[in-house]
Amino acid sequence: MLPPRVTHVSLELTLEDLEEGSQWFELLLTLAEWSAEFPAPASPARSRTHQIVFLGDLRNLGVVDAEVKWREKLASLAASFGFNAHVVGSGDAFSGAVSEKTAFVFQFDPYGGRRADPPSSLRREPIELHIRGAKFDDVLRSITLTLIEDFDNQNVDEAPCRDLVPGDRIFHRKIGNSRAFDRFDEGSTKPCKHGADSFTRFNGPKSLKGFRRRYGNFEDEWMHHCGKYPNCGMYAVFCPS
């Protein structure tokens, strides 16, 4: 008897332009679940050079619907961003010292143990989350949105602000977003494959804020988007001549 052999594999893919932090949260939560379900992790632990420290026991602090394997859930979420996780629960011995490779410290209050001595490697001050009575998914959401915002700030180099010249027709792709505004690439005078005539007026609050940061004399009515959305995500700024 021979085991069955896979002869064909098919995949269905959907391209999504994620606008809101909540959409990123759902995507990353799915990734974390897959990382826990399948033998191959999102990235080998030895390849992750930094860690996230979580202080406090979610189940003992009154989080609603906290899963039995809440530690593993936090570890999977951290791995989705390329971090290892150091989780300090109730009864765990903790001196307050953390590795110099610690990028974030999340403290679940009311936490009664030793607080972390922040190393110089922290990307921001220790983050306190008051979680008593909060839902488990809402706790994960708060952590995820914080990491998404930091990831945007760390990995996107913004072009310097400049003024548009009359007649400018600049085409942009979105390369990142925060909870306040979108970020765009440096732009090109070449449109997408659908052509410049496919672009129509567009009014997205976060996109408008992003272009105001990019162009000093930007007017809201100058922003356009390819009419083939959602199959095309190209933006454009048309400055009248």
Side-chain angles (χ1 to χ4, degrees):
M1 296 290 289
L2 296 175
R5 182 166 58 94
V6 176
T7 59
H8 178 75
V9 175
S10 62
L11 297 174
E12 259 187 45
L13 302 179
T14 303
L15 294 177
E16 299 286 355
D17 186 12
L18 303 182
E19 293 281 352
E20 302 295 333
S22 59
Q23 294 174 300
W24 279 105
F25 169 70
E26 297 298 337
L27 176 64
L28 288 166
L29 193 60
T30 300
L31 177 59
E33 290 171 352
W34 287 355
S35 298
E37 181 178 355
F38 296 101
S43 60
R46 63 180 178 276
S47 71
R48 304 178 206 140
T49 57
H50 287 76
Q51 71 173 3
I52 300 175
V53 173
F54 299 98
L55 301 178
D57 191 318
L58 296 187
R59 302 195 81 194
N60 287 346
L61 290 177
V63 173
V64 179
D65 299 328
E67 300 180 8
V68 174
K69 295 185 177 181
W70 62 272
R71 292 173 181 253
E72 289 86 344
K73 201 69 171 249
L74 292 179
S76 295
L77 182 60
S80 300
F81 285 90
F83 293 106
N84 286 316
H86 179 196
V87 183
V88 179
S90 60
D92 294 346
F94 180 61
S95 65
V98 297
S99 166
E100 281 297 328
K101 294 183 177 181
T102 301
F104 297 93
V105 173
F106 287 92
Q107 180 175 296
F108 302 129
D109 285 331
Y111 170 69
R114 288 288 300 271
R115 294 176 180 263
D117 299 324
S120 59
S121 57
L122 283 186
R123 293 187 184 176
R124 55 185 295 179
E125 292 297 313
I127 302 152
E128 297 183 8
L129 297 179
H130 296 274
I131 62 172
R132 177 158 290 171
K135 294 181 179 179
F136 182 61
D137 276 358
D138 288 339
V139 175
L140 295 180
R141 186 187 302 272
S142 296
I143 297 169
T144 301
L145 294 180
T146 299
L147 297 177
I148 287 171
E149 184 174 8
D150 180 80
F151 184 82
D152 285 339
N153 294 334
Q154 293 285 332
N155 290 278
V156 178
D157 294 326
E158 291 193 74
C161 181
R162 70 171 180 86
D163 281 352
L164 290 159
V165 176
D168 267 349
R169 295 165 69 85
I170 312 296
F171 300 89
H172 291 272
R173 290 195 182 279
K174 192 172 76 171
I175 56 175
N177 70 301
S178 68
R179 279 178 280 182
F181 58 88
D182 292 336
R183 294 185 172 94
F184 299 92
D185 64 8
E186 61 185 10
S188 170
T189 56
K190 296 181 179 179
C192 61
K193 63 182 180 180
H194 304 113
D197 291 340
S198 69
F199 283 77
T200 59
R201 292 276 181 85
F202 183 69
N203 185 25
K206 291 174 65 177
S207 302
L208 291 171
K209 290 179 182 178
F211 280 121
R212 291 185 201 122
R213 293 169 61 92
R214 171 59 61 85
Y215 299 113
N217 60 342
F218 173 78
E219 299 289 343
D220 291 356
E221 61 268 21
W222 297 352
M223 186 173 76
H224 293 68
H225 198 289
C226 179
K228 301 298 182 180
Y229 178 85
N231 295 321
C232 182
M234 183 74 81
Y235 291 75
V237 175
F238 295 161
C239 180
S241 58

